[in-house]
Amino acid sequence: MVTEAGLRGRKKERTRQSLHDAALRLFLERGFDRVTVAEIAEEAEAAVTTLFKYFPGGKVALVFSHEEDRAAALADAVRNRSADTDPLTAIEDFIGTRLPFDPHMDAASPLLRLIFETPELRAYARQKWTDCEDALMAVLVEQCGYPDDAPLRALARLILQSPDIVARHSTPRAALAMIFANLRRGWQLDT
Amino acid sequence: MVTEAGLRGRKKERTRQSLHDAALRLFLERGFDRVTVAEIAEEAEAAVTTLFKYFPGGKVALVFSHEEDRAAALADAVRNRSADTDPLTAIEDFIGTRLPFDPHMDAASPLLRLIFETPELRAYARQKWTDCEDALMAVLVEQCGYPDDAPLRALARLILQSPDIVARHSTPRAALAMIFANLRRGWQLDT
DNA sequence: CTACGTATTTGCAACCACTACATATTCGTC
DNA sequence: GACGAATATGTAGTGGTTGCAAATACGTAG
């Protein structure tokens, strides 16, 4: 999403950023539930109602400022994969790029710690993945021959759990690979 | 859990039941988020504070009155399985007994419809399963030889998603069997 | 540069889930 | 019947979230 042109657009972006920054600063300083939305608004020099206009997802959404249409991106990644790549590998790669980068550096990242240790935030992050279920299943049905839809829906569901599963792991990518190896063996999609 | 003896115990049970009944009646009549806890308390002739004393889980918990220590029950089911049953089958059977019974009868059940169509309630039901993750992984580690813990944690996670996955299915048990067949092939535990 | 229409912001009041606390009531028991 | 412990109640919050009408700021046409 590109920043709107004009003074208005710039101010909008600045306000959004200001709210996001204020929220992160206060959350990291005091912990998620020791900060009120009123305080965030004040710190960002905005009204509470403005805050909710920018982040309809509420307090939790303030942490995740850069939203993407992940479902569409995931579906694209599978459809436009290179010829020598099977669907599951394309999905694995896609998820891999959305994972915390360096295991040691990121494990120490205060923001990741905050998200990991705050149930509400973790649930939100997880749901952003599971919201892709319908899209993922659609693309699986389209790309893999399979007698029934049910196993593919189950597979989609299980795949979308993997980011949250490996997030607590010390080597997320390795854990992801292990899960995908087992899923591949279990479902045998190939085609 | 057995009802406590004496007048006191009987009244406690009656109050709890009264709150549960009132909540279900109102929820089914108007929908979950069109009912306030104040209304439920009034309908049950109790104070709001009393309501929260009985259901610390809040509004959602009012729907699920009979709580069990599911984690312990699941672990027991695996440990005390008959000699010719493997761990995964024991788990599958356990989950099977906690699923909605008759597919046609239950699909029409207003209560199940309510739970299914109310995100908050579905999330609560799902979490009661996923809360068993640690216990299930512990028992898997104990019962199955496996080089690393990580795949078993992933397996536990995926297994505990299955109840929610198959809940929307027209033939939950068949769907469950299919998922477990794939998981079995994928993880190859067999001991 | 000015005035007007529209997008955005603001403060206010309200709703509701949930909690802390002090007070009252009820049950079991002596 | 009286006393102590468990339970219930009402009140008064806190805090997230929303609706609304008034105020403000931006873009633009004249």
Side-chain angles (χ1 to χ4, degrees):
Chain A
M1 192 182 244
V2 185
T3 302
E4 279 176 59
L7 218 197
R8 189 161 252 159
R10 259 178 285 138
K11 278 202 173 173
K12 251 165 77 169
E13 197 50 42
R14 206 181 305 156
T15 304
R16 166 180 221 87
Q17 194 66 36
S18 185
L19 287 164
H20 175 66
D21 292 348
L24 282 194
R25 201 177 322 134
L26 293 175
F27 288 160
L28 289 173
E29 193 176 311
R30 265 187 277 160
F32 182 75
D33 26 61
R34 284 203 165 112
V35 179
T36 70
V37 290
E39 290 171 321
I40 298 171
E42 194 184 8
E43 178 89 1
E45 292 176 303
V48 177
T49 46
T50 307
L51 184 156
F52 280 100
K53 184 147 284 183
Y54 279 100
F55 298 90
K59 206 180 164 189
V60 284
L62 279 159
V63 175
F64 306 88
S65 95
H66 316 302
E67 309 274 338
E68 66 168 342
D69 188 348
R70 197 174 279 177
L74 175 56
D76 281 357
V78 178
R79 290 207 185 87
N80 305 332
R81 68 189 190 276
S82 67
D84 58 345
T85 309
D86 65 304
L88 275 185
T89 304
I91 297 167
E92 183 184 345
D93 291 344
F94 180 87
I95 293 178
T97 63
R98 260 73 178 177
L99 247 35
F101 293 100
D102 183 75
H104 300 295
M105 188 185 76
D106 284 349
S109 156
L111 177 55
L112 286 184
R113 279 183 60 82
L114 178 74
I115 295 174
F116 185 76
E117 287 165 3
T118 308
E120 267 178 282
L121 294 178
R122 250 192 108 173
Y124 187 86
R126 180 168 46 231
Q127 209 188 352
K128 287 209 302 183
W129 280 108
T130 55
D131 283 347
C132 301
E133 182 180 322
D134 287 338
L136 177 54
M137 178 186 144
V139 85
L140 283 175
V141 168
E142 168 196 320
Q143 302 278 321
C144 317
Y146 220 78
D148 187 9
D149 284 359
L152 290 184
R153 175 167 291 281
L155 179 60
R157 194 61 90 88
L158 300 186
I159 285 173
L160 294 174
Q161 291 292 323
S162 60
D164 185 65
I165 297 177
V166 304
R168 65 187 314 178
H169 212 274
S170 58
T171 58
R173 280 213 179 47
L176 189 67
M178 216 147 35
I179 294 179
F180 268 77
N182 287 342
L183 290 177
R184 251 185 284 268
R185 184 166 47 225
W187 266 258
Q188 316 215 332
L189 293 185
D190 300 319
T191 319
Chain B
M1 195 181 244
V2 186
T3 303
E4 279 175 59
L7 217 195
R8 190 159 250 159
R10 259 177 285 138
K11 277 203 173 173
K12 249 166 79 169
E13 196 51 40
R14 208 181 302 155
T15 304
R16 167 180 219 89
Q17 195 65 37
S18 185
L19 287 164
H20 177 66
D21 292 348
L24 282 193
R25 201 178 320 135
L26 293 175
F27 287 160
L28 290 173
E29 194 176 310
R30 266 186 277 161
F32 182 75
D33 24 60
R34 284 203 168 113
V35 179
T36 70
V37 290
E39 290 170 322
I40 298 172
E42 194 185 7
E43 178 89 0
E45 292 176 303
V48 176
T49 47
T50 309
L51 184 156
F52 280 102
K53 184 146 287 184
Y54 278 99
F55 298 90
K59 207 180 163 188
V60 285
L62 280 159
V63 175
F64 306 88
S65 94
H66 316 301
E67 308 273 339
E68 67 169 344
D69 187 349
R70 197 173 280 177
L74 174 57
D76 281 357
V78 178
R79 291 207 184 85
N80 306 332
R81 68 188 191 277
S82 67
D84 59 343
T85 308
D86 66 301
L88 276 186
T89 304
I91 298 167
E92 182 184 346
D93 291 347
F94 180 87
I95 293 177
T97 63
R98 261 74 179 177
L99 247 34
F101 292 101
D102 183 75
H104 300 294
M105 190 186 76
D106 284 347
S109 156
L111 177 55
L112 287 183
R113 279 182 60 81
L114 178 74
I115 295 174
F116 185 76
E117 288 165 3
T118 308
E120 268 178 282
L121 295 178
R122 252 193 106 172
Y124 187 86
R126 178 169 44 231
Q127 209 188 351
K128 286 210 302 183
W129 279 109
T130 54
D131 283 346
C132 302
E133 182 180 321
D134 287 337
L136 177 55
M137 179 186 146
V139 84
L140 282 175
V141 168
E142 167 197 321
Q143 302 277 322
C144 315
Y146 219 80
D148 186 10
D149 284 0
L152 290 184
R153 175 166 291 280
L155 179 60
R157 202 45 101 87
L158 300 185
I159 285 173
L160 294 173
Q161 291 292 322
S162 60
D164 185 65
I165 298 177
V166 305
R168 65 189 312 177
H169 212 273
S170 58
T171 58
R173 279 211 182 48
L176 190 67
M178 217 146 33
I179 293 179
F180 267 77
N182 287 343
L183 290 178
R184 251 185 284 267
R185 183 165 49 226
W187 266 258
Q188 315 213 333
L189 292 186
D190 297 323
T191 317

